Amino acid sequence: MPDRISATPDRSTLRLALVVGGLVLAVLLGFGLGRMNAGGATSAGGAALAADHTHPPGTEPHEHGSATGADQGAGGEPGGLSVSSAGYTLAPVATEFPAGRSEQLRFQVRDAQRRPVTRFAVVHDKPMHLIVVRRDLTGYQHLHPTMAPDGTWSVPLTLAQPGVWRAYADFTVVAADGGQTAVTLGTDLVAPGGYQPRPLPAPATSTVVDGFTVGYQGSPQAGATVPLTFRIDAAGGSAPLERYLGAYGHLVALREGDLGYLHVHPEPELVDGQVKFWLTTPGPGRYRLYLDFQVNTKVHTAEFTLTIP
């Protein structure tokens, strides 16, 4: 009679099964934790996602401003034309501010279910870029609010002169699956008082600001992507430019009338000591250009009027 096979496995078999099972469990747990942590860590208060804004390989220096998150292309409309777009809404706590006095501007970005958004990618060193300008295109400010855990952003704001001002929130939302959507939303702010709009300065390719001579070369055309190269000179030669928000310059373009918004980023390195951008203007009209640059830890802004026939 053949030997009876025992139904109970021996100790060596049990040990092997336990080892293999433990390895499988460790792999599964590690995969799960990796998925949870993908995209970056939250800040100390758990308020903002410290994820880098990414673009497909080979993406050229680009423009923000599209209401749908796509970079501006030829013929595309600028962003910031509405308070709601792409499923998100800009919700300021107050829209009236006394002229000439610093007050806190507070706002939330809300999703389609009116829930405050709290996950934002860090783009050019900041999760939120706020541009404020009066409707006659004077009083330009580039601010960086901070966010509370409940999704409320705040920043000190001074509207220097009475009038209607435009505020642009330029940000990138990070979805639960890690997907990123760049959005620019705009809202009007009011400083009560007698509004005396200033005429737009005549077009020019050079200007002087804070002792620096700033000029550009290039001929933008409606619907075409054209290089603009800016040179910043100080006494004795080229200014020693420093990186500001991760780049040697930041360029904002606003269209006269509807105040359509374009935020253009430059080549990552200087080109022959100059800052090179690629600008796509969506249509004819007059535009105001604002170039931010940094020297000796101080940020300066050069302004230009540009006419597109």
Side-chain angles (χ1 to χ4, degrees), residues 65-225:
S66 167
T68 61
D71 289 339
Q72 288 291 298
E77 281 302 302
L81 296 175
S82 64
V83 73
S84 296
S85 189
Y88 299 98
T89 297
L90 183 62
V93 174
T95 57
E96 184 174 305
F97 296 84
R101 193 170 74 198
S102 178
E103 298 282 347
Q104 286 289 322
L105 171 64
R106 296 183 175 87
F107 62 92
Q108 290 182 335
V109 176
R110 296 176 181 167
D111 63 16
Q113 289 74 43
R114 297 191 59 78
R115 298 171 301 192
V117 178
T118 58
R119 293 165 58 90
F120 297 85
V122 174
V123 182
H124 296 276
D125 292 348
K126 298 291 181 180
M128 178 69 68
H129 296 265
L130 185 75
I131 303 298
V132 179
V133 66
R134 201 167 70 159
R135 278 200 163 268
D136 61 358
L137 299 177
T138 63
Y140 169 88
Q141 300 176 59
H142 185 167
L143 307 174
H144 300 105
T146 57
M147 189 180 74
D150 68 349
T152 299
W153 295 88
S154 61
V155 65
L157 173 66
T158 301
L159 303 182
Q161 301 293 332
V164 179
W165 295 67
R166 190 70 174 170
Y168 304 88
D170 183 345
F171 56 89
T172 297
V173 176
V174 180
D177 63 359
Q180 300 183 12
T181 303
V183 186
T184 302
L185 302 176
T187 189
D188 283 339
L189 307 175
V190 177
Y195 175 41
Q196 297 179 347
R198 299 177 187 174
L200 204 60
T205 58
S206 67
T207 188
V208 176
V209 56
D210 302 331
F212 297 95
T213 300
V214 184
Y216 75 85
Q217 292 182 328
S219 301
Q221 305 170 31
T225 301

Side-chain angles (χ1 to χ4, degrees), residues 60-61 215 217 227-233 238 241 243 248-249 265-278:
E60 295 294 329
Q217 292 182 328
L228 284 186
T229 304
F230 287 83
R231 181 179 182 86
I232 298 99
D233 287 327
S238 297
L241 297 177
R243 290 188 183 274
Y248 284 107
H265 299 297
E267 297 279 358
E269 301 296 336
L270 295 175
V271 179
D272 296 327
Q274 302 175 76
V275 190
K276 185 175 183 179
F277 299 85
W278 293 88

